Amino acid sequence: MQTIADEGMELGSQGGVGAGAGAAKVEDKKEKTAFDVKLEKFDAAAKIKVIKEVRAFTNLGLKEAKDLVEKAPVILKQGVTKEEAHDIMEKIKAAGGVAIME
């Protein structure tokens, strides 16, 4: 009978490389690249301004934008970049509304 050398071979889960792979996956979280902009609330006096801003970046008609704003809290735009989301939030804030990024 011949003996087989097991030197240098990985034998199942004895620690080694396999144990470190699970820990690396936990630390390797992807940075979020797509964000949703949500209208939380708005001042009643600024409702018309908020509707105009919503129309500007959603391509909705007046009635659809009005209905959307009145449903607050509601998601205004989905899957936008971080910069675009910040831009939309600033415009909503300037119009008298409160928007958040999710």
Side-chain angles (χ1 to χ4, degrees):
M1 214 162 125
Q2 290 183 335
T3 59
I4 299 174
D6 62 12
E7 211 173 300
M9 293 193 320
E10 187 174 335
L11 299 174
S13 62
Q14 294 181 347
V17 178
K25 287 183 182 179
V26 173
E27 294 175 19
D28 222 7
K29 288 186 178 180
K30 299 276 183 176
E31 186 175 328
K32 191 172 179 181
T33 57
F35 298 90
D36 299 339
V37 178
K38 183 176 182 180
L39 176 67
E40 283 292 307
K41 59 184 177 179
F42 59 91
D43 292 333
K47 182 177 177 180
I48 294 171
K49 292 178 185 178
V50 173
I51 291 171
K52 286 182 182 180
E53 285 301 326
V54 169
R55 285 189 68 205
F57 61 81
T58 60
N59 298 324
L60 293 175
L62 181 61
K63 183 180 182 336
E64 291 84 7
K66 179 182 177 277
D67 291 343
L68 187 67
V69 169
E70 288 175 346
K71 291 179 186 177
V74 65
I75 294 178
L76 297 176
K77 196 148 187 183
Q78 295 179 326
V80 296
T81 63
K82 191 173 188 176
E83 293 80 23
E84 187 178 355
H86 280 295
D87 186 44
I88 292 169
M89 288 171 46
E90 289 299 318
K91 288 179 181 178
I92 294 293
K93 183 178 178 182
V98 177
I100 61 168
M101 182 171 48
E102 295 182 335

